[in-house]
């Protein structure tokens, strides 16, 4: 892709809504902050080093004499919105960047696609300014998805920000509003689409969602998933103001004029410091989420697509999978709330080092403070500041890296002498090199008693059989890692004793194995947990959207006998909406998000009570001597599920960092390069009714 691409923006803000009455007597009332959102976004885009080649702006300001001040061709009507999408798609060339920002009402309406969604189905919508007119029309989910698919098909790099909601609700006072009606509009409206025929819209939607038919009346993550083109991970990012069951707020954050919460924090994060543009969309979401949650508990921004891409850029860099500061409590000792807890296996006593949001150099000079956990809940934890390293204040959204795990997480390693080695091989020196390669107490410690060991390390000479297994040469002298029964764990490539970094790489592998085992063992051991039997799962080659799943039938081990396309069905029987992440623990010692690998999804889905979701598993196929573990992690609270990911053994993403200046920094760099740096997860002893896991093995 050429780097010298063009940059186009489509900005839509709607304060004014023409008088309208919905079935329950309510209406889409006019808002106050949407046009201000768009004007400020336009100003921001024009201050970038590479300004947009063209900005198409549609706004409907608060009315004077009961009509907006903009001319008809500049209003965000249904016709103008569709025309603007099509115009930008037409003038842009492959590789060009497209930024779309919508501030206004979101809504739900009786579907105009009953042949697909059923007679009682619903369409998720964006609400144009003229919805109250006699022929007023929504921009419906199938249409929006089609417009975006046209852009992706042309190889345009698309970023969409939606500062609206679909569930609506009530507000707490006169100083704020919700951007949604909260009801389903059953008004009879025009059926004809200016985007494409119903047949094309439905076919495109089926291609995106993978569903040949949508169960009538279902909602939640469907709109978010359906807006994303099928190859969404290639140059596509969507940042939405809230999750499907939540509300998007606008209020006066500064002075008396309103902004949408998402737009306000997006601009507040990026505008003051140009260096903040060297962050990814994932980093941006991680920062703005706790700041929005601090004021609006029921609004959690949602990110789908290529989250590792730099803001307004082409390049992708790995996100730092740290915890985030979600709240700061002042007192005799400053206390810091983090967005990780029992679900990540944390316990009291773990220590985190805080760094400013946007840090690219994890050196000692960037450290803010050392925090020790004093309380751990299901998805959050509270720590006390032990040492302050900087005069710079700690802020919500700052990063927290684990630097000391609790004692129960540390795996014991015994250095085992091999009696079969010739005397000329100095195995004592080789083993001592492994022991001295650890510079601080991390995930492993060396012990002197065989009975205490979780892992063994020994030096061995490869015979023909072992050489074939390790894909090495006969008579190579290597380090061998064994499990607690002293059975060798086949780790390739073999680490030769006479190579300079082999001892150090042995400790890295031990740390990696410890993290993997900790995630594998993660379980809520509270027998009284209210969520213990509320999540039902099924692995099947024939998904059935109408089948009610029973958690008593959750699988523990499945053997695949045929090569088929399998899907994972998950149903929520809990009384509250839940957040769900699905991980695959692979034979190469990697732990990856299944949802992130599925087009049109983020890493987390939300499920309403009784709602069911089907997740295709395209990489699941019959292989000899092959085994994968699937782990479904569920939480009532929004939490940092990325904490649980792990790359394949010996593989690291390379974040942007300074060269380490001392052994401690070097070890921190090596640890944190293994995404994430601090997956301290083992069975949590504290009872919790706000999270659970379901795990099964596929052979």
């Amino acid at each position: 892709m050429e780097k010298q691409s063009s940059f186009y923006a489509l900005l839509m803000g709607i304060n004014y809504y023409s008088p309208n009455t919905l079935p329950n007597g309510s209406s889409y009332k006019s808002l106050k902050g949407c046009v201000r959102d768009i004007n400020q976004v336009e100003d921001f885009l024009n201050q970038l080093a590479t300004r947009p080649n063209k900005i198409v702006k549609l706004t409907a300001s608060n009315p004077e004499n009961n009509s907006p001040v903009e001319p008809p061709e500049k209003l965000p009507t249904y016709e103008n919105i569709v025309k603007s999408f099509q115009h930008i798609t037409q003038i842009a060339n492959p590789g060009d960047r497209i930024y779309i920002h919508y501030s206004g009402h979101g809504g739900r309406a009786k579907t105009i696609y009953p042949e697909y969604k059923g007679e009682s189905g619903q369409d998720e919508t964006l609400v144009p300014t003229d919805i109250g007119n006699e022929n007023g029309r929504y921009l419906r989910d199938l249409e929006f998805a089609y417009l975006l698919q046209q852009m992706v098909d042309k190889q345009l790099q698309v970023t969409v920000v939606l500062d609206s909601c679909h569930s609506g609700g009530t507000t707490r006072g006169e100083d704020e509003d919700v951007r949604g009606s909260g009801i389903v509009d059953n008004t009879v409206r025009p059926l004809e689409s200016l985007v494409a025929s119903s047949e094309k819209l439905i076919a495109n939607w089926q291609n995106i969602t993978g569903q040949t038919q949508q169960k009538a009346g279902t909602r939640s993550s469907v709109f978010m998933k359906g807006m994303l083109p099928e190859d969404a991970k290639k140059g596509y990012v969507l940042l939405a103001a809230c999750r499907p069951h939540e509300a998007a707020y606008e209020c006066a954050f500064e002075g008396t004029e309103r902004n949408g919460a998402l737009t306000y924090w997006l601009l507040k994060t990026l505008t003051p410091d140009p260096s903040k543009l060297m962050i990814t969309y994932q980093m941006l979401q991680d920062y703005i989420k706790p700041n929005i949650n601090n004021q609006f508990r029921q609004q959690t921004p949602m990110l789908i697509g290529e989250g590792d891409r730099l803001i307004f850029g082409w390049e992708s860099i790995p996100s730092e999978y740290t915890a985030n500061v979600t709240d700061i409590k002042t007192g005799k000792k400053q206390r810091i709330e983090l967005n990780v807890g029992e679900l990540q296996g944390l316990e009291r006593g773990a220590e985190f080092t805080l760094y400013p949001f946007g840090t690219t150099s994890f050196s000692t000079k960037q450290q803010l403070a050392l925090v020790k956990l004093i309380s751990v809940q299901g998805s959050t934890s509270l720590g006390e500041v032990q040492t302050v390293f900087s005069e710079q204040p700690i802020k919500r959204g700052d990063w927290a890296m684990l630097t000391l795990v609790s004692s129960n997480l540390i795996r014991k390693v015994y250095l085992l002498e091999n009696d079969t080695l010739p005397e000329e091989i100095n195995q004592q020196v080789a083993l001592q090199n492994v022991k001295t390669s650890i510079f601080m107490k991390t995930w492993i410690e060396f012990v002197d008693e065989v009975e205490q060991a979780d892992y063994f390390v020994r030096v061995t000479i490869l015979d023909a059989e072992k050489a074939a297994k390790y894909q090495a040469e006969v008579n190579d002298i290597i380090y061998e890692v064994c499990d607690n029964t002293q059975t060798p764990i086949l780790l390739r490539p073999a680490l030769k004793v006479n190579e300079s970094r082999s001892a150090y790489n042995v400790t890295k592998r031990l740390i990696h194995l410890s993290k993997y085992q900790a995630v594998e063992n993660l379980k809520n051991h509270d027998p009284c947990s209210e969520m213990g039997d509320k999540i039902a799962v099924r692995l099947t080659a024939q998904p059935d959207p109408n089948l009610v799943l029973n958690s008593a039938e959750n699988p523990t081990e499945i053997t695949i006998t045929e090569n088929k396309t399998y899907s994972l069905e998950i149903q929520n029987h809990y009384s509250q909406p839940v957040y769900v992440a699905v991980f695959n623990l692979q034979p190469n010692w990697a732990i990856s998000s299944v949802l992130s690998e599925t087009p049109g999804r983020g890493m987390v889905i939300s499920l309403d009570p009784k709602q069911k979701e089907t997740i295709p598993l395209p990489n699941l196929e019959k292989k000899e001597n092959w085994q994968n573990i699937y782990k479904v992690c569920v939480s009532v609270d929004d939490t940092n599920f990325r904490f649980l990911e792990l790359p394949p053994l010996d593989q690291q993403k390379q974040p942007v960092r300074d060269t380490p200046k001392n052994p401690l920094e070097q070890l921190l760099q090596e640890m944190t390069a293994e995404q994430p740096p601090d997956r301290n997860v083992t069975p949590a002893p504290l009872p919790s009714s706000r999270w659970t896991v379901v795990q099964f093995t596929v052979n």
Side-chain angles (χ1 to χ4, degrees):
M1 181 185 296
E2 294 290 336
K3 295 297 182 183
Q4 300 300 319
S5 65
S6 296
F7 181 18
Y8 300 96
L10 171 57
L11 311 179
M12 299 165 283
I14 309 174
N15 281 356
Y16 171 72
Y17 281 90
S18 57
N20 57 90
T21 302
L22 300 179
N24 70 343
S26 66
S27 64
Y28 290 110
K29 63 180 180 179
S30 291
L31 298 165
K32 297 180 180 180
C34 300
V35 175
R36 177 177 166 85
D37 283 353
I38 293 309
N39 289 337
Q40 290 181 342
V41 169
E42 181 184 30
D43 291 342
F44 168 72
L45 294 177
N46 282 326
Q47 292 171 16
L48 294 176
T50 304
R51 298 173 56 181
N53 298 71
K54 183 174 183 178
I55 295 178
V56 177
K57 186 168 76 167
L58 302 175
T59 57
S61 301
N62 286 329
E64 296 178 3
N65 300 322
N66 294 321
S67 63
V69 299
E70 293 84 355
E73 67 273 12
K74 297 294 184 181
L75 291 174
T77 62
Y78 171 84
E79 289 80 4
N80 288 345
I81 291 173
V82 173
K83 186 187 302 182
S84 297
F85 266 96
Q86 294 171 338
H87 172 66
I88 287 183
T89 305
Q90 181 181 7
I91 64 174
N93 294 313
D96 287 349
R97 292 171 293 159
I98 311 295
Y99 179 79
I100 301 167
H101 195 115
Y102 173 83
S103 287
H105 278 303
R108 292 195 182 97
K110 178 180 174 61
T111 186
I112 61 173
Y113 312 103
E115 66 272 35
Y116 175 67
K117 295 188 178 184
E119 291 295 334
S120 60
Q122 302 170 13
D123 295 334
E124 304 281 358
T125 71
L126 301 183
V127 187
T129 183
D130 59 342
I131 193 65
N133 295 352
E134 182 178 356
N135 293 316
R137 289 186 275 185
Y138 293 104
L139 185 67
R140 298 175 186 262
D141 43 18
L142 271 66
E143 296 176 303
F144 197 83
Y146 191 92
L147 291 170
L148 295 182
Q149 184 67 56
Q150 295 297 105
M151 290 183 169
V152 172
D153 286 347
K154 199 171 180 179
Q155 298 179 14
L156 307 179
Q157 190 180 70
V158 185
T159 299
V160 181
V161 176
L162 296 181
D163 202 344
S164 61
C165 69
H166 309 283
S167 58
T170 59
T171 60
R172 296 171 294 181
E174 297 180 356
D175 295 334
E176 60 192 42
D177 265 320
V178 169
R179 294 179 173 179
S181 69
I183 71 159
V184 177
D185 183 4
N186 293 318
T187 305
V188 177
R189 298 191 181 274
L191 301 179
E192 182 184 2
S193 170
L194 297 182
V195 177
S197 66
S198 293
E199 292 77 15
K200 288 184 178 180
L201 296 175
I202 292 173
N204 178 69
W205 185 268
Q206 290 174 330
N207 187 43
I208 292 170
T209 62
Q211 296 179 344
T212 57
Q213 186 175 9
Q214 183 176 311
K215 189 177 179 181
T218 59
R219 62 169 190 87
S220 197
S221 61
V222 174
F223 180 56
M224 297 299 302
K225 178 178 66 175
M227 286 191 302
L228 285 165
E230 188 171 7
D231 53 354
K233 296 184 73 174
K234 299 177 182 178
Y236 193 101
V237 176
L238 185 145
L239 181 61
C242 60
R243 297 192 183 278
H245 62 273
E246 298 177 333
Y249 289 88
E250 68 166 39
C251 73
F253 292 90
E254 299 175 9
T256 58
E257 295 189 75
R258 292 183 184 177
N259 282 101
L262 175 63
T263 303
Y264 173 81
W265 280 105
L266 185 150
L267 294 176
K268 187 176 179 66
T269 305
L270 298 178
T271 300
D273 184 357
S275 68
K276 291 294 192 294
L277 295 180
M278 290 301 295
I279 62 172
T280 65
Y281 286 99
Q282 183 63 66
M283 296 175 188
L284 176 66
Q285 187 213 20
D286 286 344
Y287 183 77
I288 65 178
K289 183 163 58 175
N291 285 288
I292 291 176
N293 287 163
N294 180 61
Q295 187 167 355
F296 304 112
R297 276 296 186 189
Q298 296 303 313
Q299 180 174 349
T300 303
M302 186 175 181
L303 178 70
I304 298 179
E306 199 176 27
D308 281 351
R309 178 154 57 84
L310 289 171
I311 302 287
F312 302 119
W314 299 269
E315 299 85 0
S316 294
I317 63 173
S319 298
E320 292 297 335
Y321 292 110
T322 59
N324 287 96
V325 174
T326 54
D327 203 3
I328 302 148
K329 305 178 187 298
T330 57
K332 189 174 180 180
K333 269 197 171 184
Q334 193 175 34
R335 294 186 173 186
I336 306 298
E337 184 182 87
L338 303 178
N339 62 343
V340 287
E342 285 184 359
L343 182 53
Q344 288 76 16
L346 287 170
E347 291 187 347
R348 292 177 60 186
E351 294 181 0
F352 287 82
T353 301
L354 305 187
Y355 293 87
F357 165 73
T359 297
T360 58
S361 167
F362 285 80
S363 61
T364 53
K365 66 180 180 181
Q366 296 291 334
Q367 295 174 350
L368 296 175
L370 178 68
V371 173
K372 185 175 184 178
L373 297 190
I374 60 172
S375 173
V376 179
Q377 302 300 318
S379 302
T380 60
S381 54
L382 189 66
E384 277 190 351
V385 174
Q386 304 295 304
T387 308
V388 176
F389 302 123
S390 171
E391 295 181 359
Q392 183 175 343
I394 301 168
K395 299 178 181 179
R396 294 184 189 90
D398 282 343
W399 293 341
M401 280 197 174
L402 183 76
T403 48
L404 179 64
V405 300
S406 52
S407 59
N408 68 301
L409 300 175
I410 297 173
R411 296 291 181 257
K412 315 289 187 182
V413 179
Y414 185 89
L415 301 176
L416 184 66
E417 291 193 14
N418 188 345
D419 296 335
T420 65
L421 289 181
E423 292 183 2
E424 61 267 23
I425 298 177
N426 195 337
Q427 62 176 313
Q428 290 81 9
V429 171
L431 294 174
Q432 186 62 26
N433 288 340
V434 174
K435 190 171 185 179
T436 57
S437 65
I438 286 290
F439 303 112
M440 61 178 289
K441 188 177 182 182
T442 56
W443 287 82
I444 62 173
E445 68 176 2
F446 296 96
V447 295
D448 297 325
E449 297 182 18
V450 174
E451 294 78 12
Q452 295 179 339
D454 299 299
Y455 296 107
F456 293 88
V457 177
R458 68 186 176 195
V459 176
T460 189
I461 299 179
L462 297 182
D463 56 21
E465 182 181 355
K466 278 194 171 184
K469 290 181 179 179
Y470 281 102
Q471 297 177 1
E473 299 294 329
V474 176
N475 295 326
D476 277 349
I477 304 171
I478 70 165
Y479 289 108
E480 194 165 47
V481 177
C482 305
D483 63 19
N484 60 356
T485 66
Q486 300 187 26
T487 302
I489 303 172
L490 186 60
L491 304 176
R492 292 192 293 255
L495 298 177
K496 299 178 184 179
V497 169
N498 61 357
E499 293 181 347
S500 60
R501 290 183 61 82
S502 288
Y504 184 72
N505 287 331
V506 169
T507 62
K508 285 178 58 182
R509 287 182 171 183
L510 288 166
I511 290 171
H512 191 110
L513 293 173
S514 299
K515 294 174 180 180
Y516 184 96
Q517 184 184 13
V519 177
E520 184 179 0
N521 292 342
L522 175 64
K523 183 180 179 181
N524 188 333
H525 287 267
D526 178 12
C528 300
S529 171
E530 295 177 6
M531 291 189 69
D533 59 352
K534 301 302 182 184
I535 304 300
V537 304
R538 183 173 81 120
L539 183 69
T540 177
Q542 297 179 320
D544 181 357
N546 298 306
L547 178 66
V548 177
L549 303 186
N550 182 355
S551 62
E553 299 174 359
N554 285 350
T556 56
E557 187 166 352
I558 301 171
T559 299
I560 294 177
T561 57
E562 298 180 67
N563 281 328
K564 296 181 179 179
T565 301
Y566 287 88
S567 295
L568 178 63
E569 295 180 319
I570 307 174
Q571 189 163 25
N572 175 25
H573 292 296
Y574 195 50
S575 59
Q576 301 180 45
V578 296
Y579 299 97
V580 180
V582 183
F583 295 97
N584 182 7
L585 284 69
Q586 303 166 38
N588 63 354
W589 309 101
I591 301 174
S592 63
S593 166
V594 172
L595 291 168
S596 295
E597 297 170 355
T598 304
R601 299 181 188 268
M603 185 175 185
V604 182
I605 59 173
S606 59
L607 294 180
D608 285 348
K610 304 302 180 184
Q611 187 187 349
K612 182 178 173 183
E613 189 76 13
T614 300
I615 302 161
L617 302 178
N619 298 323
L620 186 58
E621 58 184 16
K622 181 184 176 183
K623 295 180 182 178
E624 190 174 351
N625 299 322
W626 174 92
Q627 182 183 82
N628 275 31
I629 298 171
Y630 286 88
K631 201 172 195 92
V632 181
C633 299
V634 184
S635 174
V636 175
D637 307 297
D638 183 51
T639 188
N640 192 341
F641 287 103
R642 288 182 299 120
F643 224 64
L644 303 176
E645 287 190 303
L646 196 64
L649 189 74
D650 293 335
Q651 294 185 23
Q652 303 173 7
K653 295 181 181 180
Q654 297 299 327
V656 181
R657 292 190 178 135
D658 288 347
T659 302
K661 300 176 179 61
N662 56 53
L664 175 58
E665 286 188 24
Q666 180 177 357
L667 183 63
L668 277 173
Q669 174 162 320
E670 296 291 353
M671 282 187 64
T672 58
E674 296 181 32
Q675 310 289 348
D678 37 356
R679 288 163 225 80
N680 48 332
V681 280
T682 53
L686 302 177
S688 174
S689 294
R690 302 189 70 81
W691 70 277
T692 190
V693 298
V694 179
Q695 180 169 310
F696 59 93
T697 301
V698 179
N699 300 310

